[in-house]
Amino acid sequence: PLFFGVRPPAADGAAPPAADGAATPTTGYNLLSPQHLDDDGHLVLDGDVPEGSLCAWHTLDARASVGELEAAAAASRRQLRLDRGAGAALPLRTGLDETLSVLGGLVFTCSGRGARFHGRPNADSKALRAGRPGLPLCGCFCNGEIGPPPFPEQRGGG
């Protein structure tokens, strides 16, 4: 699929970074779906584009998304102190301290990240379980209903 990425200007009014090829950040974009061209030839999107936004066309890459999810899961394991490093994992019933345990995880993934996108089922859950194959997971596919707004200026402050 092809998406129109919109990165609003910063809350302080500063313009987003200039589009200069490799130096352009690839995160922080709200991905909008092109709907159609109107009678005047204008592109109709499924969301708003604030004035001063940085815009770019985006496609999704299943391999890159799994790699990013595996990296985020590894960082979470380190933060929760569930990973000794060098692949040596602690038991699930240890963690932040002796009174807290990690019993499992909740996953609310984008409905567009299913088997059709990845070409196989359970790609997201397998990526989250990398390094912790016994981790129980529960969750569902969602359409953006769960989680914070993607940009600080939409959170009411900053």
Side-chain angles (χ1 to χ4, degrees):
L2 184 64
F3 294 96
F4 190 76
V6 177
R7 189 167 193 229
D12 62 6
D20 59 357
T24 302
T26 57
T27 60
Y29 285 88
N30 188 12
L31 299 182
L32 304 177
S33 296
Q35 301 298 305
H36 64 274
L37 292 175
D38 67 13
D39 293 338
D40 295 327
H42 297 106
L43 179 65
V44 177
L45 302 168
D46 65 350
D48 295 327
V49 179
E51 186 174 339
S53 297
L54 180 64
C55 300
W57 290 103
H58 293 262
T59 60
L60 302 179
D61 181 324
R63 284 183 301 197
S65 74
V66 167
E68 290 170 1
L69 194 53
E70 287 172 345
S76 294
R77 287 192 303 275
R78 284 189 301 276
Q79 186 175 10
L80 291 170
R81 300 184 190 141
L82 292 174
D83 205 341
R84 289 186 180 140
L90 294 169
L92 285 175
R93 288 217 168 246
T94 61
L96 298 174
D97 64 33
E98 62 279 349
T99 64
L100 299 174
S101 297
V102 174
L103 302 176
L106 293 174
V107 180
F108 301 99
T109 193
C110 175
S111 61
R113 292 179 59 103
R116 186 184 299 187
F117 174 64
H118 289 289
R120 65 185 193 281
N122 305 317
D124 278 0
S125 58
K126 287 178 182 176
L128 287 169
R129 284 189 174 124
R132 299 305 302 212
L135 180 69
L137 296 175
C138 180
C140 63
F141 288 100
C142 301
N143 290 312
E145 303 88 349
I146 298 175
F151 304 110
E153 52 276 359
Q154 294 176 329
R155 295 182 194 130

